[in-house]
Amino acid sequence: MRQIILNILIAIAIFNGSSAALAQELQPQQAVPQRWMLEGWETDFSKATIRYNEVIDVIGRDNIPSIDDPEFKPVAREASIPGNEPVIGLELNGVARAYPLRIMMWHEIVNDQIGDTPIAVTYCPLCNTSIVFDRRIDGEAVEFGTSGKLRHSDLIMYDRTQQNWWQQFTGEAIAGTRAGEKLKAYPSRLMSLKLFRETYPDGDILVPDPRRIEQMGRNPYVGYDKSAKPFLFRGEIPDDINPMMRVALVQTPTPVGVALPLLQQQGEVSHEDLIFRWSVGQASALDRGEISQGRDVGNIEVVRQTDSGEEPVVHEVTFAFAARAFMSGLTILQ
């Protein structure tokens, strides 16, 4: 019966032209923590794809404020950010934009629009995951905010229309009316500001939000990516790889990861039709107190080789513990 219901949901999503695809099966109904109800959530908690005891409450909803009316300026005019600092680089609809981690660290979500495409640019510091999603559901643009909650140390987002909860790492709705659906992601990459400027000299860069202007350039997670274990993590720690090792991860169609040391050593690693590349010049945002002083972890690019040439691939540069938490059988080349 469950499979029949799931098939019906898939058919409805296709019929409605939803940009969200079905991802996981629903869990049996479970008790909802009373504190969530006291927080005033309007989420339909009767539907979920996860066990609620996997969720950790950290801070209040929207205490990390999303940027909903982003402003930009030409990257050629940006002179205050050191060139080795990381940005989320995106090219979409012929427009190139850079979202500096010195800003994303303090906001985690930017609700933006490029041409006719509404997007959510997201970053979770505890997993080091940066992913850009299409924020349309059934053809309608929604805004995303921070729930103040984590699962596997990863940001749980929520949409402000129905208050569904979405896992940032996978783009999946994990609780609410949309539970079991998945957002579309667009190729983007973590890259140094210098590399972005060289690649997209006519591109634009996000301007800091006045609400967090005093924190710009600071890393509140000093030494995090050199720690022995992740912060606020409930789950199994991998024993075949340093849990805080950076991994270039491609989730679909066949999940595969490449460990940073292997990429640093070889410069380029091929796996089936995928090519992973590494080059020097990007500071770790999660090392020193000042982002620009972080050690060089390099720039990673992932492309797919096709008959017509190379195409950028949706990927993320994350920590090994997170990659394994969300994909237990993941192959990591190292």
Side-chain angles (χ1 to χ4, degrees):
M1 177 60 72
R2 179 183 295 176
Q3 187 60 50
I4 293 175
I5 294 173
L6 289 172
N7 289 340
I8 292 173
L9 289 173
I10 293 172
I12 291 173
I14 293 173
F15 177 81
N16 289 335
S18 171
S19 65
L22 205 62
Q24 291 187 10
E25 291 190 7
L26 300 179
Q27 290 280 328
Q29 195 151 345
Q30 54 193 309
V32 180
Q34 183 63 26
R35 61 187 177 274
W36 296 355
M37 309 310 296
L38 296 175
E39 290 169 356
W41 288 100
E42 298 176 3
T43 309
D44 181 358
F45 288 117
S46 68
K47 299 177 181 178
T49 62
I50 65 166
R51 296 188 301 273
Y52 286 146
N53 61 8
E54 297 174 341
V55 175
I56 296 179
D57 301 286
V58 184
I59 56 178
R61 182 188 339 181
D62 292 321
N63 277 10
I64 298 176
S66 62
I67 297 177
D68 304 324
D69 296 297
E71 297 182 4
F72 298 85
K73 67 179 180 181
V75 70
R77 288 173 41 201
E78 174 53 62
S80 63
I81 303 178
N84 68 334
E85 284 201 17
V87 304
I88 301 172
L90 172 69
E91 182 181 16
L92 186 64
N93 299 331
V95 175
R97 287 181 179 168
Y99 304 80
L101 290 201
R102 61 164 45 205
I103 299 175
M104 299 299 300
M105 188 83 71
W106 301 95
H107 296 277
E108 298 191 357
I109 300 173
V110 176
N111 291 295
D112 198 4
Q113 179 146 342
I114 297 182
D116 296 329
T117 306
I119 58 173
V121 181
T122 69
Y123 177 67
C124 177
L126 296 185
C127 291
N128 194 56
T129 50
S130 62
I131 311 174
V132 177
F133 298 108
D134 191 311
R135 56 185 179 90
R136 285 174 290 195
I137 301 176
D138 284 346
E140 297 295 326
V142 302
E143 278 189 353
F144 286 94
T146 60
S147 68
K149 304 180 187 305
L150 299 172
R151 175 171 170 262
H152 301 329
S153 289
D154 181 61
L155 162 68
I156 296 178
M157 315 183 297
Y158 79 97
D159 66 72
R160 294 186 174 127
T161 301
Q162 297 177 326
Q163 297 193 8
N164 301 285
W165 289 9
W166 301 79
Q167 190 77 61
Q168 184 259 359
F169 195 97
T170 61
E172 298 172 357
I174 57 176
T177 303
R178 297 286 174 177
E181 297 183 6
K182 187 170 183 177
L183 298 169
K184 175 182 178 180
Y186 292 106
S188 63
R189 60 180 296 204
L190 280 176
M191 58 199 305
S192 68
L193 174 58
K194 179 177 183 291
L195 180 58
F196 179 87
R197 186 183 285 118
E198 292 172 351
T199 308
Y200 307 106
D202 297 323
D204 295 322
I205 188 169
L206 181 67
V207 173
D209 187 294
R211 293 172 294 179
R212 294 291 188 271
I213 193 72
E214 294 182 357
Q215 282 78 32
M216 291 302 96
R218 288 183 49 239
N219 164 31
Y221 308 96
V222 177
Y224 178 63
D225 65 355
K226 290 189 292 189
S227 59
K229 59 183 180 179
F231 183 52
L232 296 174
F233 179 70
R234 291 177 184 168
E236 185 176 344
I237 298 293
D239 57 10
D240 63 329
I241 188 171
N242 182 337
M244 302 303 292
M245 179 72 67
R246 279 177 169 81
V247 173
L249 171 66
V250 175
Q251 294 193 26
T252 59
T254 302
V256 63
V258 179
L260 179 62
L262 179 63
L263 269 178
Q264 287 177 311
Q265 179 183 11
Q266 298 191 8
E268 181 173 302
V269 173
S270 296
H271 178 77
E272 297 179 352
D273 61 346
L274 296 173
I275 302 174
F276 297 77
R277 296 193 178 105
W278 182 89
S279 61
V280 299
Q282 180 187 155
S284 167
L286 300 167
D287 183 14
R288 305 289 292 278
E290 290 187 28
I291 293 176
S292 63
Q293 299 302 310
R295 70 187 187 284
D296 192 334
V297 293
N299 300 286
I300 291 176
E301 177 185 29
V302 184
V303 298
R304 175 170 284 109
Q305 186 68 48
T306 69
D307 293 338
S308 56
E310 296 180 352
E311 297 178 351
V313 173
V314 174
H315 69 280
E316 53 214 273
V317 179
T318 187
F319 295 126
F321 82 86
R324 281 282 171 71
F326 288 102
M327 300 177 174
S328 59
L330 175 70
T331 296
I332 300 177
L333 307 178
Q334 55 179 314

